Amino acid sequence: MDAALLLVLLAGLVFALLLATRGVRHPERRGQGQSRRAEAVWERKLLSMTLGNRGAIERGLTAKRRQHPGASRAELLRRLHDDYVRDRSR
């Protein structure tokens, strides 16, 4: 009987621990999914603008990275897209 009670208490403790840590997010992973989605969106837009020319996009990213070394890839893609839109409207 004592062993069964001990097992039930242990199971309850493990369950409580799982519930308590369920919502904990790792700080290094925070926002990665959102950033990757943003990258995908900007990349799709740029690919349609450049008719699928990935080389042009990568060259543009390299140039933007020199101007903004601390920016994320999603931010660089956004800036590159803005430049393409601005240049097209001229």
Side-chain angles (χ1 to χ4, degrees), residues 30-50:
R30 194 171 298 154
Q32 273 187 350
Q34 187 178 18
S35 177
R36 289 176 197 233
R37 282 191 297 270
E39 273 182 43
V41 168
W42 291 116
E43 197 167 334
R44 273 195 308 270
K45 287 181 180 185
L46 283 165
L47 281 170
S48 78
M49 292 176 82
T50 62

Side-chain angles (χ1 to χ4, degrees), residues 6-87:
L6 183 62
L7 283 175
V8 168
L9 285 174
L10 239 128
L13 179 65
V14 168
F15 182 70
L17 191 63
L18 285 174
L19 282 178
T21 60
R22 187 174 184 204
V24 175
R25 297 183 70 183
H26 297 282
E28 64 272 3
R29 292 186 196 166
R30 194 171 298 154
Q32 273 187 350
Q34 187 178 18
S35 177
R36 289 176 197 233
R37 282 191 297 270
E39 273 182 43
V41 168
W42 291 116
E43 197 167 334
R44 273 195 308 270
K45 287 181 180 185
L46 283 165
L47 281 170
S48 78
M49 292 176 82
T50 62
L51 304 175
N53 190 346
R54 284 193 183 274
I57 294 171
E58 291 304 320
R59 287 189 299 276
L61 283 174
T62 301
K64 285 292 171 195
R65 187 165 284 118
R66 287 187 192 125
Q67 295 172 356
H68 308 281
S72 67
R73 181 175 170 85
E75 176 65 19
L76 294 172
L77 286 166
R78 184 193 62 79
R79 288 175 185 263
L80 188 59
H81 176 268
D82 292 347
D83 286 352
Y84 270 105
V85 170
R86 186 187 67 237
D87 291 347

